[in-house]
Amino acid sequence: MTDIVANPIAANTGFHRTEAAEKRLRRRYAAEQRFKIYGIIAITLAIGMLVLLLFTILRNGVTAFQQTAIQLEVTLDPAVIDPKGTGNPADWDRAAFQDLVHDALYKEFPDVSRGDRRELRRMISPVAGVFLGNQVLKDPSMLGQTVSVWLPASDPINQIVKGRIDRELPEANRPVSDQQLAWLDQLRERGDSKTIFNSTFFTASDSNYPELAGLWGSVVGSIFTLAVTLVLALPIGVAAAVYLEEFAPKNKFTDLIEVNINNLAAVPSIVFGLLGLAVFLNFFGMPRSAPLVGGMVIALMSLPTIIIASRAALKAVPPSIREAALGMGASKLQTVWHHVLPLAMPGILTGTIIAMAQALGETAPLLMIGMNAFVTAPPTGLLSSSSVLPVQIYIWADAPERGFVELTSAAIMILLIFLITMNGIAIYLRKKFERRW
Amino acid sequence: MPIQLTVAVLLILSAIGYWIGRQRAMSVSGGRVASLHSVPNYYGSFVAVWAGIPALLLVLFFLMLKGPVIEMLVLGAMSPDAVLSWAKASISPNDFQALSTAGIAGADALAETQRNLMMINIRNLATGQERFVNPAVVDALLPAAQHMQHLEATSRWSLFAICMAIAAGALFITHRKITPQFRARNNVERVVTWGLIVCSVIAILTTVGIVLSLLFESMRFFARVSPVEFLFGLQWSPQTAIRADQVGASGAFGAIPLFTGTLLIATVAMAVALPLGLLSAIYLSEYAPRRVRDTVKPVLEILAGIPTVVYGFFAILTVAPFVRDMGVALGLPVSSNSALAAGIVMGIMIVPFVSSLSDDVINAVPQSLRDGSYGLGATRSETIRQVILPAALPGIVGAFLLAVSRAIGETMIVVMAAGMAANLTFNPLDAVTTVTVQIAALLTGDQEFESAKTLSAFALGFVLFFATLALNVVALRVVQKYREKYD
Amino acid sequence: MEAMTMSQTVDPGAAAAGKIVKMSSRGTKVFYGEKRALHGIDVDIYRNEVLALIGPSGCGKSTFLRTLNRMNDTIDICRVEGKLMLDDQDIYDPKLDVVQLRARVGMVFQKPNPFPKSIYENIIYGPKLHGLATRKDEFDAIVEASLQRAGLWNEVKDRLLEPGTGLSGGQQQRLCIARAIAVSPEVILMDEPCSALDPIATAHIEELIDELRENFTIVIVTHNMQQAARVSQRTAFFHLGDLVEVGETEDIFTNPRDERTQGYITGRYG
């Protein structure tokens, strides 16, 4: 080595082919391999987490589409249901249905002592009467008859049947007693208990009872909110993009606009919620929990995304098209309206759909304007109280009942399906209209 | 006269205006359309625009200001007796004592909170929602409620009348202006251009709206709590007394525990996201064959597309129990909503963000530097570590800052997975709370308006906004400098 | 010795003159995807000699240069056929280590590309990688010697810790040459090293190339025929992926055998 130092640049020393160099080379390649493996590990971890997340949601969510039901012979005594005897459903005693359900349950298990009836009642959902009432409402001829109906089991029974609570656990550690398990097994032997498709999940709105809780209300709320967002953000965003890309002179003012747009894109979403609360609710006195306000807040959030995507799409239209139209005597506005905008439209739509997909998953700002209200019916208009899909997920994730874990996961599955569909459409549009000039 | 009807009539008038303008243009041209300066449609649009837009803008303006103005008028006209008898039934005896001995002249004597409460009562009465109003105050507030109803009705009728006048006047004037020489197209285009400008200005308005609303509400907060206590206090417990005579609930607004909690979780998140994101980006851009890159990149992007509420649920359902179990196995006390669990999940969320930013940055390093290094007999990893990363460092720092800004602004994951207790600690196994968690907690559910507790959320929002803004501005500048270097 | 015998088919006069073959190419073909960029190149490169590769743009001279130290490996779709030898080693032998090869066959690029580090670190980058030295004084010696050799020492000796990117274009290119020779390569490849430089800097580099011949074997690509004439002993003329002719530089310029060569050097196309 001293040789080299003495004459470091003497060529043909053959140093690179010595034993020492070979050894060093092997070490360097080992380092190379290690470095490469770090990269593979990083990617594997990231993708592994994604898979774990999706797997967790799927495993917890699929059972939500099933509901354990118990078949009971209910005697629909008109004297109990319609004490006033008017025959008008508005005068019915809706609470009486639950009592009838309980009576039917006692008949199903005649040997159960009065003292154990409390435990027996916990087999059936505390809102089974609501289901029964709805059925009778649909078919009032049932009144006065003894009918056999399938009614939802209580949440703990439901969880046991689906195996989400281990029945092998010691009695003290599970919400279902040994006695109840025995009754359940009896019901199953007689064929009086089975799992049925949980249509409530798709048709009902929020509820305190997992058996009665559904996603419909928040889906409608999300649709209303997104509609407001789209109606506001798309035209305003495209107009702003057209101005900045096609008309704006290069000056301090347009610079300011651009800086603003870029910064808004990075403002935390909850700050937009504060804006909505302070300006739309407190200053303008708009109603809380309304899809209109939610849509407005999210429109402000989506604007930067739509503007940036639209500008990129406009920029991609080659200048020759503009020159051709201007050369034919069209005004600048006509050029843009007739030629540039139609060509940029696929790009703009793709960007808009992606922005809408983000908007659909947005939660924090909507909490600020009260869209986490407990709403048991779908909204009827833009100003009525409403929830949205992601907020419903948040509310359910917080609920103590075991049954809400699977409902939350199932709601996430629905949300992800919406998102995948929207992104899929965006990718399809991009592929289909991709154009190289 | 509902406002919707006014708007509908205006739209119809505008449509009629279009037709009139077209017809007029046709007739003044004497059948030779080519003699017109613009095509007839533009004359139609010209009339329609002026017949519709000014009046519609007025409606918008009216909608924005009607509420506050009517409230002011109603309150101003209230008799002291009415105010007092409302106060008697609605506010605490002590407050009422103070109020009545002072001898009041009207609604101005009430504190802001009380005035708002009274206003809500009046509004409910006026809109026929009597069931929400304490029966004891109905009699006292009825005159005010009727006054409000009257004002509402009058204002709507006047709005209708004024709008019709404007629209009709515009129709008349524009109709007369139409001659073959009149440049209808230029006029319409000028209006459209202004419309475009207004749309672009909305971005500025949004920023101004954010700054002003945060500023005003924060000012009101700082009128109650000193900024020094807020920025440097070590104790955060925003539960203020509901009544002044309540004991031991004065509320403490020292935000330091929130700042440290936010930084702790953001640090954990970055400790996950930076290595994972950077190493994936390096692997994908320098090692991975094209096919692998083309599949792995979109898969990583999926992580970015998953809503944060889903990550929050994942954190409480899977990651937090796992972290706790690991802690138990190692004999460490781990809180069930530890900063570690929330931070890890947040880190996963940020991975694609870091990786795509780093990817851009790494690809911006010129090929000539890579060639120079390979030409000297360096291996790939030596080139990456000793040439590419140092060269890309400013860009990576920028990406890092952007990711930090995103981490401290993230809300749902921490709302769901982090704690509520403001512990001043740097132990990631403990539960901490963050700025965003507190904002969400203070402003959701039942809230008392005008209390220091509610207003403190805006002060926190103010800090959050400017912290993220500063990070973004610095980051963007760093990245831009870096880009210029290799352009 | 095999290389020696092969070389006779290309240039019998050289073997007779006692020259030693350092590198040789037989039937080298290069493909970019489906497209063939080189159609079979036969040439020998002698030790301590400057070989200039000339020809019109896109003729494949740079491609050929980059096959000599396998820089083309960094391009995914590039494929090389034929036999390329460095001494008695096959360059494209899968068992041959490309890192070691590039340490032995260094390269200087068209655009000066100093790393965004100090001048000192630029020089010791290679020696550090290859373990040519371990102690500070050894590195210092390498830095001084390399910069001396590249004729840059006097200009930069007082600012060795300043970034290499702060030097002028000509200085940057000499820094890159110093960086290349610091690794003690056997062959130096130069890809139009002066094309981004002004005439004075170019003159500096040309002088340097002539001096370096004493220790190294040099292959230089140039589109400047005067330069080829000034610095090289032998010249190879490429045209559309073919090696048209190769010989003593003087012969090529005064007495080209092929009319394409003649057309090019007399400036009819280029």
Side-chain angles (χ1 to χ4, degrees):
Chain A
M1 209 164 273
T2 34
D3 260 13
I4 302 155
V5 178
N7 186 7
I9 50 160
N12 308 333
T13 54
F15 171 82
H16 296 297
R17 306 177 70 180
T18 59
E19 186 71 22
E22 296 283 349
K23 223 175 120 188
R24 187 177 171 81
L25 204 58
R26 281 197 293 279
R27 271 211 318 278
R28 287 169 64 194
Y29 273 114
E32 171 80 13
Q33 279 307 316
R34 277 200 304 279
F35 190 73
K36 199 169 160 182
I37 287 168
Y38 295 151
I40 294 174
I41 290 175
I43 289 176
T44 315
L45 273 179
I47 293 179
M49 278 303 219
L50 175 67
V51 171
L52 179 65
L53 188 153
L54 296 178
F55 173 73
T56 311
I57 300 297
L58 206 63
R59 206 194 55 187
N60 281 293
V62 281
T63 52
F65 300 112
Q66 299 280 313
Q67 165 71 42
T68 309
I70 294 173
Q71 182 168 240
L72 292 174
E73 301 282 330
V74 186
T75 309
L76 296 162
D77 184 356
V80 179
I81 294 168
D82 192 4
K84 292 181 192 162
T86 56
N88 180 0
D91 289 331
W92 288 359
D93 177 6
R94 303 300 289 265
F97 286 107
Q98 189 69 23
D99 298 336
L100 293 179
V101 170
H102 290 159
D103 289 342
L105 197 59
Y106 304 148
K107 248 192 295 170
E108 187 88 16
F109 293 98
D111 316 334
V112 175
S113 69
R114 282 200 159 275
D116 286 346
R117 279 186 171 179
R118 197 178 139 79
E119 213 178 331
L120 182 60
R121 283 205 297 277
R122 293 219 180 118
M123 299 282 292
I124 198 87
S125 161
V127 286
V130 177
F131 285 86
L132 182 61
N134 287 343
Q135 284 187 28
V136 179
L137 213 56
K138 241 184 266 167
D139 181 13
S141 67
M142 287 161 83
L143 216 60
Q145 296 182 12
T146 299
V147 292
S148 153
V149 285
W150 287 96
L151 293 170
S154 69
D155 189 44
I157 297 293
N158 189 22
Q159 302 298 319
I160 283 276
V161 170
K162 291 185 200 165
R164 297 185 55 84
I165 295 176
D166 186 2
R167 58 185 293 167
E168 304 304 328
L169 283 172
E171 190 175 8
N173 291 0
R174 53 176 145 83
V176 181
S177 68
D178 288 343
Q179 178 68 74
Q180 285 172 326
L181 281 183
W183 287 327
L184 176 63
D185 291 340
Q186 279 182 42
L187 281 171
R188 299 234 277 202
E189 259 166 46
R190 289 185 224 153
D192 282 340
S193 170
K194 63 176 183 184
T195 53
I196 56 173
F197 178 66
N198 182 9
S199 59
T200 314
F201 180 71
F202 295 99
T203 53
S205 296
D206 200 5
S207 165
N208 284 325
Y209 302 95
E211 307 89 280
L212 202 56
L215 215 49
W216 181 239
S218 52
V219 168
V220 175
S222 272
I223 291 172
F224 279 15
T225 308
L226 277 197
V228 173
T229 303
L230 186 66
V231 164
L232 289 176
L234 181 59
I236 295 180
V238 172
V242 165
Y243 178 72
L244 291 173
E245 200 58 42
E246 305 285 336
F247 293 94
K250 192 88 194 113
N251 58 26
K252 284 243 166 67
F253 177 67
T254 47
D255 275 355
L256 181 71
I257 294 178
E258 292 203 21
V259 168
N260 259 298
I261 290 170
N262 288 334
N263 279 331
L264 277 183
V267 168
S269 61
I270 197 166
V271 171
F272 283 94
L274 290 174
L275 171 77
L277 176 61
V279 175
F280 296 145
L281 297 194
N282 289 358
F283 188 72
F284 290 136
M286 293 173 147
R288 278 175 80 79
S289 318
L292 177 68
V293 183
M296 284 165 70
V297 170
I298 295 196
L300 290 182
M301 283 184 62
S302 310
L303 264 183
T305 318
I306 294 182
I307 294 178
I308 292 168
S310 304
R311 289 188 68 175
L314 288 169
K315 208 176 272 175
V317 177
S320 58
I321 303 239
R322 293 179 185 80
E323 283 154 14
L326 290 174
M328 301 280 292
S331 71
K332 192 124 191 228
L333 199 67
Q334 285 171 323
T335 306
V336 171
W337 186 250
H338 294 153
H339 302 283
V340 180
L341 212 48
L343 289 173
M345 220 50 206
I348 293 175
L349 285 186
T350 309
T352 306
I353 294 172
I354 288 169
M356 289 298 114
Q358 280 171 9
L360 178 60
E362 211 43 76
T363 320
L366 299 180
L367 296 182
M368 299 291 96
I369 56 163
M371 291 198 87
N372 57 337
F374 180 68
V375 188
T376 55
T380 50
L382 293 182
L383 292 175
S384 62
S385 276
S386 160
S387 180
V388 292
L389 254 178
V391 176
Q392 189 68 72
I393 290 168
Y394 167 66
I395 295 171
W396 284 351
D398 237 15
E401 286 84 1
R402 281 297 285 262
F404 278 114
V405 173
E406 52 176 357
L407 287 188
T408 312
S409 307
I412 289 175
M413 283 164 62
I414 304 289
L415 176 63
L416 291 182
I417 287 172
F418 273 116
L419 292 179
I420 290 168
T421 313
M422 289 169 83
N423 282 299
I425 293 173
I427 292 169
Y428 171 77
L429 274 180
R430 186 178 297 160
K431 282 259 157 65
K432 175 148 191 219
F433 291 101
E434 198 168 47
R435 204 191 289 239
R436 300 232 175 270
W437 301 98
Chain B
M1 172 59 59
I3 307 248
Q4 288 92 318
L5 199 61
T6 312
V7 173
V9 172
L10 280 176
L11 290 178
I12 293 168
L13 275 182
S14 180
I16 294 174
Y18 181 82
W19 184 75
I20 292 178
R22 248 187 80 101
Q23 292 301 316
R24 168 81 178 166
M26 297 288 219
S27 70
V28 295
S29 72
R32 288 178 304 116
V33 176
S35 71
L36 294 169
H37 169 268
S38 318
V39 287
N41 289 352
Y42 275 105
Y43 292 92
S45 308
F46 167 67
V47 179
V49 158
W50 286 104
I53 287 179
L56 284 173
L57 284 180
L58 184 75
V59 173
L60 201 65
F61 196 62
F62 172 82
L63 283 177
M64 279 162 65
L65 291 182
K66 181 196 73 170
V69 169
I70 287 185
E71 276 185 20
M72 207 178 71
L73 291 175
V74 168
L75 287 177
M78 275 183 83
S79 71
D81 292 343
V83 175
L84 270 182
S85 55
W86 173 82
K88 190 167 187 250
S90 309
I91 65 178
S92 75
N94 284 353
D95 289 354
F96 179 68
Q97 195 68 40
L99 198 67
S100 53
T101 47
I104 63 165
D108 288 348
L110 295 173
E112 208 176 342
T113 337
Q114 300 164 342
R115 204 160 54 231
N116 284 342
L117 197 57
M118 188 170 78
M119 204 60 236
I120 291 167
N121 283 339
I122 296 174
R123 187 177 295 284
N124 280 335
L125 271 182
T127 50
Q129 290 171 305
E130 215 177 309
R131 62 183 188 284
F132 295 132
V133 184
N134 179 356
V137 302
V138 168
D139 284 341
L141 296 184
L142 210 53
Q146 280 162 350
H147 187 198
M148 181 180 244
Q149 279 174 338
H150 176 72
L151 285 176
E152 287 271 357
T154 320
S155 66
R156 284 179 190 177
W157 275 108
S158 353
L159 175 74
F160 180 70
I162 297 172
C163 283
M164 290 310 121
I166 293 177
L171 270 180
F172 180 70
I173 296 171
T174 49
H175 177 256
R176 287 200 24 171
K177 266 196 147 171
I178 295 177
T179 60
Q181 292 79 37
F182 179 69
R183 301 182 169 200
R185 201 195 67 222
N186 304 38
N187 196 304
V188 171
E189 289 191 347
R190 208 155 42 237
V191 173
V192 173
T193 311
W194 273 105
L196 296 181
I197 294 178
V198 168
C199 287
S200 350
V201 169
I202 286 185
I204 297 185
L205 287 183
T206 309
T207 309
V208 170
I210 289 174
V211 172
L212 286 186
S213 56
L214 292 178
L215 195 68
F216 276 133
E217 307 284 329
S218 304
M219 288 314 231
R220 283 159 66 189
F221 172 72
F222 289 128
R224 292 165 165 82
V225 175
S226 98
V228 177
E229 191 207 323
F230 176 72
L231 287 176
F232 301 106
L234 300 179
Q235 177 88 35
W236 177 268
S237 63
Q239 298 308 322
T240 41
I242 294 164
R243 296 194 315 275
D245 52 343
Q246 227 169 348
V247 193
S250 56
F253 292 95
I256 290 286
L258 310 190
F259 298 153
T260 55
T262 307
L263 286 182
L264 180 60
I265 290 182
T267 309
V268 175
M270 290 316 296
V272 172
L274 192 66
L276 287 191
L278 194 55
L279 284 172
S280 337
I282 290 173
Y283 182 81
L284 288 179
S285 64
E286 301 286 326
Y287 285 103
R290 178 176 266 290
R291 267 218 343 252
V292 174
R293 187 164 53 226
D294 288 351
T295 30
V296 170
K297 258 189 169 177
V299 172
L300 280 184
E301 292 300 321
I302 294 178
L303 280 173
I306 292 177
T308 53
V309 69
V310 177
Y311 281 107
F313 184 64
F314 179 58
I316 47 182
L317 193 68
T318 308
V319 179
F322 174 76
V323 169
R324 199 183 47 226
D325 292 347
M326 289 307 277
V328 170
L330 295 172
L332 291 169
V334 181
S335 161
S336 59
N337 38 21
S338 60
L340 188 60
I344 289 175
V345 174
M346 195 189 277
I348 299 295
M349 181 198 83
I350 298 177
V351 164
F353 188 69
V354 174
S355 120
S356 77
L357 281 175
S358 311
D359 195 44
D360 289 352
V361 167
I362 289 170
N363 284 330
V365 175
Q367 183 64 30
S368 69
L369 285 185
R370 290 183 176 81
D371 284 349
S373 177
Y374 294 141
L376 288 169
T379 62
R380 265 181 202 273
S381 68
E382 285 159 352
T383 305
I384 294 164
R385 276 188 298 207
Q386 300 182 36
V387 175
I388 297 178
L389 287 186
L393 193 63
I396 290 170
V397 169
F400 176 80
L401 292 180
L402 286 176
V404 170
S405 142
R406 179 163 280 213
I408 66 177
E410 167 48 37
T411 309
M412 290 321 292
I413 293 175
V414 279
V415 163
M416 295 170 82
M420 286 292 299
N423 298 324
L424 184 54
T425 173
F426 290 100
N427 179 0
L429 302 180
D430 278 345
V432 293
T433 191
T434 72
V435 171
T436 48
V437 170
Q438 289 301 316
I439 295 177
L442 292 166
L443 292 181
T444 52
D446 296 326
Q447 44 175 285
E448 321 137 47
F449 274 99
E450 313 298 332
S451 75
K453 181 183 154 191
T454 313
L455 290 175
S456 66
F458 286 91
L460 289 176
F462 195 67
V463 174
L464 180 66
F465 176 71
F466 279 98
T468 51
L469 185 70
L471 278 173
N472 284 316
V473 169
V474 172
L476 287 179
R477 184 147 302 173
V478 170
V479 171
Q480 203 155 20
K481 275 267 164 61
Y482 166 75
R483 289 262 158 76
E484 280 162 11
K485 193 164 114 194
Y486 291 120
D487 266 351
Chain C
M1 285 304 103
E2 194 198 9
M4 288 283 286
T5 40
M6 281 201 307
S7 74
Q8 288 168 353
T9 60
V10 177
D11 191 356
K19 290 182 181 173
I20 307 166
V21 175
K22 184 67 189 171
M23 297 186 87
S24 70
S25 160
R26 290 295 175 275
T28 302
K29 297 188 179 101
V30 177
F31 302 83
Y32 291 115
E34 291 300 299
K35 196 175 150 276
R36 192 159 71 176
L38 288 179
H39 306 307
I41 306 298
D42 292 343
V43 71
D44 289 326
I45 300 156
Y46 301 112
R47 179 182 276 190
N48 297 68
E49 169 195 81
V50 178
L51 171 69
L53 310 181
I54 61 168
S57 312
C59 64
K61 54 193 193 300
S62 282
T63 301
F64 178 67
L65 190 77
R66 292 169 71 93
T67 58
L68 293 178
N69 72 341
R70 289 180 54 175
M71 279 302 283
N72 283 332
D73 287 15
T74 55
I75 301 164
D76 279 346
I77 53 164
C78 183
R79 189 161 53 83
V80 177
E81 281 176 14
K83 201 163 187 68
L84 281 141
M85 303 291 288
L86 170 63
D87 293 338
D88 51 354
Q89 274 187 318
D90 183 350
I91 294 176
Y92 281 85
D93 182 347
K95 275 179 287 184
L96 177 118
D97 184 72
V98 66
V99 163
Q100 197 185 42
L101 170 73
R102 289 181 192 150
R104 295 171 62 196
V105 182
M107 190 157 193
V108 174
F109 298 85
Q110 187 167 1
K111 237 181 83 195
N113 56 353
F115 301 132
K117 302 161 174 277
S118 69
I119 295 170
Y120 187 89
E121 282 178 18
N122 261 288
I123 302 286
I124 66 167
Y125 178 76
K128 221 176 183 174
L129 290 180
H130 300 295
L132 260 57
T134 47
R135 294 199 316 273
K136 174 90 168 72
D137 57 334
E138 293 172 342
F139 282 122
D140 288 346
I142 291 179
V143 169
E144 180 169 352
S146 313
L147 286 172
Q148 289 275 19
R149 204 75 185 81
L152 196 59
W153 176 249
N154 289 330
E155 292 162 60
V156 301
K157 66 179 174 212
D158 299 325
R159 43 178 178 142
L160 289 176
L161 298 182
E162 285 172 28
T165 42
L167 299 173
S168 74
Q171 288 173 323
Q172 284 190 8
Q173 194 62 299
R174 276 181 285 155
L175 175 62
C176 291
I177 293 173
R179 187 175 71 182
I181 58 186
V183 190
S184 291
E186 297 157 34
V187 181
I188 299 176
L189 310 176
M190 297 187 176
D191 191 356
E192 303 192 26
C194 302
S195 64
L197 306 180
D198 61 63
I200 296 174
T202 302
H204 263 296
I205 305 269
E206 284 178 7
E207 260 171 58
L208 176 59
I209 291 171
D210 200 46
E211 288 168 21
L212 289 174
R213 188 163 66 89
E214 184 193 329
N215 301 103
F216 306 98
T217 304
I218 294 172
V219 184
I220 177 170
V221 165
T222 177
H223 56 228
N224 178 334
M225 279 167 298
Q226 284 75 23
Q227 184 172 65
R230 284 193 297 267
V231 300
S232 70
Q233 283 70 54
R234 288 198 313 142
T235 295
F237 174 67
F238 282 71
H239 185 255
L240 295 176
D242 282 316
L243 176 63
V244 175
E245 64 174 297
V246 55
E248 296 294 324
T249 299
E250 223 176 276
D251 289 347
I252 293 275
F253 279 91
T254 54
N255 188 19
R257 276 169 290 168
D258 194 290
E259 62 180 85
R260 285 169 295 178
T261 319
Q262 186 163 24
Y264 181 68
I265 58 176
T266 54
R268 264 186 291 167
Y269 59 87

